[in-house]
Amino acid sequence: MISNDKYQPYFTYFICITTLCISMLVALQISGSIFGKSRIVYLADYGGLTWQTIKNLELWRFVSAQLVHVHQEHMLYNVLSILSLGIILERQVGYKYMLVTWLFAGGLGTAITTAFGSTPWNTGTGASQAALAYAGFGLTFLITHKKSKYLLMSATLFALLPALYLDLKTAGFPKPAHILSFALGAKIGICYLFKVKIESAKKHTISTHP
């Protein structure tokens, strides 16, 4: 566990700035405004993920799909969610776990969105899945996190509750992709805590049995 307030969460900064810039640039290309609506019918041409692109082994789209959005207001919410959680978590666990959570849990969640809906709504896009994966990680991390606990709890609820409300409002139920990403993020968080517990036990054994 890093637990260093002086540690700079550069990965979190990088992914948030990259998402912000690319999503707005794509919106500008499609709509003529950086805050315009990027019609999803065009987003497959700008890195969106579909089952066909997966079959074609265009694996880079697991990254690019998370950087483009239909609605830029939603993008800003996703970026703020990742930023608020990422700053706290990355300072505690390091960038590798945040990278795995963003790429693996966020990427798989984005891929699952392609299984629901007809063309063009079967194009996976957006950082919602990654934000919810971070929320899952944050929720499990609250079990042992004491320093800045209420900040982490607030950031987790900020990422989780509005997303759940939007799912219920638009679909009537939590979206499967969001559930999957949240669960995967929580699983990664549990794996981290288990790793820390094992390392702590080893250090205790060494110190008591030199």
Side-chain angles (χ1 to χ4, degrees), residues 6-17 86 90 95:
K6 294 182 179 180
Y7 176 88
Q8 293 300 318
Y10 289 118
F11 174 74
T12 296
Y13 295 151
F14 172 78
I15 205 63
C16 288
I17 292 171
E90 188 177 344
Y95 78 91

Side-chain angles (χ1 to χ4, degrees), residues 92-104:
Q92 297 294 321
V93 307
Y95 78 91
K96 291 181 181 179
Y97 278 90
M98 293 295 92
L99 171 60
V100 169
T101 302
W102 183 86
L103 183 60
F104 180 70

